[in-house]
Amino acid sequence: MNKGFFITVEGGEGAGKTTAIASILAEIREQGLEPIATREPGGIAIAEQIRAIVLDNRHTAMDSRTEALLYAAARRQHLSEKVIPALESGRVVVCDRFIDSSLAYQGYARGLGMDEVFAINKFAIEGWMPDLTLYLDVSPEVGLARIRSDRNRELNRLDLEALQFHQKVRDGYEEVLRRYSERVQRIDAEQAPDKVASQIRRIVNQWLRGRV
Ligand code: TMP
């Protein structure tokens, strides 16, 4: 039985997920809960190794379906090893990316089809969908400019895709929003950072109210 809450954060490159997660964690702690923060692909050793393969800049030969399967495999391991046990023990899990990334990036932007990508993920997640998803919406021009000016961030294989690809990712997320309007909340991530942070805290606060 799912006793905890599963919150995911989504967005294109440079949307500000790391800062957003800090706000989410702060708000959850304010409600007296101790959240677990994790990320995809990764979060545990096996999935971090899959991450290294899938994001390696040298792997330009990677087939789109292989890419989708690797993300789904990393998701499965992370879910079974870390997320499900935490949720079952009543924890709030905040995850940087989950299935919506695969729908937007592989399903839509790579052109594999959202339904096809959902199907392989259905096998991987066995119904463990997020309870709440915050989608940080930023134009690819602004997002890519942010990551290029961040000296601490190494550009990975997907970052290096053309602007057009990142525009498709954004269109993919729009479709995710349409399909899952009850679960996914859109945040304008081009606003001033303090506005983004306060909007996030408000959403999380309202969502948790009545549930804890
Ligand atoms: P990150 O840089 O936000 O940690 O994400 C790693 C990259 O992997 C990012 O470019 C998005 C991409 N990605 C997918 O394409 N599909 C997925 O299912 C996930 C989880 C990430």
Side-chain angles (χ1 to χ4, degrees):
M1 199 186 84
N2 179 355
K3 291 186 287 184
F5 300 120
F6 187 20
I7 299 176
T8 59
V9 181
E10 295 283 351
E13 316 306 327
K17 287 186 286 101
T18 309
T19 317
I21 288 169
S23 300
I24 295 170
L25 297 175
E27 189 57 43
I28 294 170
R29 290 196 180 104
E30 209 144 282
Q31 307 304 315
L33 302 167
E34 189 43 58
I36 289 176
T38 188
R39 72 163 178 182
E40 274 204 3
I44 41 112
I46 295 171
E48 287 292 340
Q49 288 198 36
I50 298 174
R51 178 187 180 95
I53 294 170
V54 81
L55 294 179
D56 191 326
N57 286 330
R58 295 166 303 179
H59 293 168
T60 51
M62 191 176 289
D63 171 80
S64 300
R65 285 173 187 253
T66 308
E67 183 180 287
L69 289 163
L70 285 172
Y71 280 118
R75 178 160 304 129
R76 171 68 197 174
Q77 187 64 29
H78 177 240
L79 198 61
S80 67
E81 204 179 315
K82 189 168 180 182
V83 178
I84 295 174
L87 291 173
E88 283 181 335
S89 68
R91 303 293 293 273
V92 182
V93 177
V94 180
C95 191
D96 184 339
R97 299 193 181 280
F98 192 63
I99 188 171
D100 300 319
S101 286
S102 285
L103 299 177
Y105 282 79
Q106 283 68 51
Y108 199 95
R110 291 281 190 226
L112 293 178
M114 283 198 173
D115 294 335
E116 284 78 355
V117 171
F118 187 81
I120 61 162
N121 276 277
K122 196 170 168 220
F123 176 74
I125 67 176
E126 293 187 295
W128 288 88
M129 286 294 279
D131 298 303
L132 170 68
T133 299
L134 301 185
Y135 166 55
L136 300 168
D137 186 26
V138 71
S139 72
E141 289 84 355
V142 171
L144 292 175
R146 282 184 189 163
I147 62 171
R148 286 188 183 127
S149 65
D150 181 353
R151 285 172 179 279
N152 297 319
R153 192 182 195 292
E154 213 175 296
L155 296 179
N156 67 44
R157 194 171 59 83
L158 272 81
D159 295 336
L160 295 171
E161 286 285 343
L163 185 64
Q164 201 188 6
F165 174 80
H166 296 286
Q167 185 53 54
K168 281 195 199 155
V169 169
R170 194 184 195 195
D171 296 342
Y173 274 122
E174 284 300 321
E175 182 56 28
V176 166
L177 273 168
R178 269 192 292 276
R179 289 190 185 197
Y180 300 104
S181 55
E182 298 206 338
R183 168 174 61 85
V184 188
Q185 303 233 19
R186 181 185 168 282
I187 289 147
D188 175 359
E190 286 186 26
Q191 299 173 93
D194 60 327
K195 282 214 170 127
V196 175
S198 58
Q199 193 180 341
I200 288 171
R201 290 189 68 139
R202 201 165 48 244
I203 290 171
V204 174
N205 182 292
Q206 282 173 1
W207 192 87
L208 284 174
R209 203 174 297 161
R211 288 185 171 86
V212 295

